[in-house]
Amino acid sequence: MNIKIELTYKTAKGTEAIFVSDEMRVEKAILIAEDLEKTGRAKILSFIDRLENRWTMKELNKYMQGIQTEPHNVTVYFDGGFDLKSKKSGLGCAIYYEQNGKNFRQRINAAVEELETNNEAEYAAFHLGLQEVELLGVHHLPVTFVGDSLVVINQLNGEWPVYEAELSKWIDRIEEQLERLGITPEYEIVSRKKNKEADHLATQALNGIEIRSTVEIDKEK
C-alpha cells in the first residue's frame, strides 16, 4: 500500500506549518514517521492512502501486523499477445508479493483461441492475473496492476471511453471480481521494455510453452 505522511510541525517559538510528503510504501512511511516523532516537533501526524482515508500510527501498525501472514504488497505485471495468422492469443502474468517477511514471484501463462483482437488478449491477461491473485487468497487489500496497454489501463481507470462491446464485457467481469474480493486496484502504465517479463511469458504461451512457478526472491529483485 502506498501512502502519504501529513504532519503539523511546530517550532520552539510556536510557529506551525503543515507538510505533506510524496507517496511512498507504507513500511517506509512508518519508519520516517517514527523518526519524526522523536524530534518532538511533529505535533499532529497522520497517514493518507490513495482513497483519501486517514490513518493514525496505531491503526497503521495494527493493519500491517494483521496482514503479515497473508500475501500483501501485491503487484501484477500482465501482457497479452495476439497472432493474427493463427488467431491464437498468449497471456502472461508475473505476480510479486510478500508473505511472512519473505518475498515471492509467481509466473503464469496461458494460450487461448477464442479471442479476436490484441486488446482482448490484453484484457484476458489482466483477468488471468486477477484470477491468480484470488487463488493466492488476496482480498480487501490494494493491488497494483502494471501493463503496457494504454487501452486496458486507461479504460479501467475511467480515462478513456469504451466503444467495443467485447471490451465492455471484459471490464464488467473484472470490476465485478475486484468488488467481490474487496480489492482496490492501482494501475500503472509502463513501456513494453519494462514489461518484458510478462511479454516473454505471453510469447512462450503462443509458442506452446506452459509456465507456472512460484519462487522466493531477494528483496532487491
Side-chain angles (χ1 to χ4, degrees), residues 74-214:
V74 182
T75 299
V76 180
Y77 291 82
F78 70 94
D79 194 49
F82 178 72
D83 184 79
L84 187 60
K85 184 178 294 186
S86 66
K87 298 293 184 180
K88 292 182 179 180
S89 299
L91 318 178
C93 294
I95 303 174
Y96 291 80
Y97 63 96
E98 297 176 26
Q99 187 173 14
N100 294 319
K102 298 179 180 179
N103 298 275
F104 297 91
R105 181 195 64 214
Q106 184 180 80
R107 288 173 171 167
I108 317 99
N109 69 0
V112 294
E113 298 184 6
E114 64 269 20
L115 307 179
E116 297 293 333
T117 66
N118 189 73
N119 284 334
E120 279 192 80
E122 292 280 7
Y123 269 107
F126 185 107
H127 189 252
L128 173 65
L130 182 55
Q131 287 180 306
E132 294 300 323
V133 164
E134 181 174 8
L135 289 175
L136 282 172
V138 177
H139 60 89
H140 296 91
L141 289 173
V143 174
T144 302
F145 295 91
V146 183
D148 56 55
S149 171
L150 291 172
V151 171
V152 171
I153 298 297
N154 285 323
Q155 287 183 340
L156 283 173
N157 65 21
E159 292 188 15
W160 286 11
V162 185
Y163 300 110
E164 299 88 344
E166 287 304 317
L167 300 190
S168 182
K169 291 178 182 178
W170 278 109
I171 292 173
D172 290 344
R173 187 179 299 128
I174 288 167
E175 290 182 342
E176 184 279 330
Q177 191 166 0
L178 288 170
E179 184 177 358
R180 175 168 54 80
L181 296 174
I183 288 175
T184 302
E186 300 174 354
Y187 302 115
E188 182 179 344
I189 298 173
V190 296
S191 66
R192 187 169 183 178
K193 182 178 180 180
K194 292 185 177 181
N195 199 34
K196 60 183 180 181
E197 185 176 22
D199 175 72
H200 184 59
L201 287 164
T203 300
Q204 287 179 306
L206 280 172
N207 292 329
I209 302 171
E210 183 177 343
I211 303 293
R212 174 173 285 276
S213 67
T214 302

Side-chain angles (χ1 to χ4, degrees), residues 30 32-42 45 47 57:
I30 289 174
I32 292 174
E34 288 174 343
D35 192 65
L36 285 168
E37 286 187 328
K38 291 176 183 177
T39 68
R41 299 287 177 81
L45 192 150
F47 304 89
M57 178 75 83

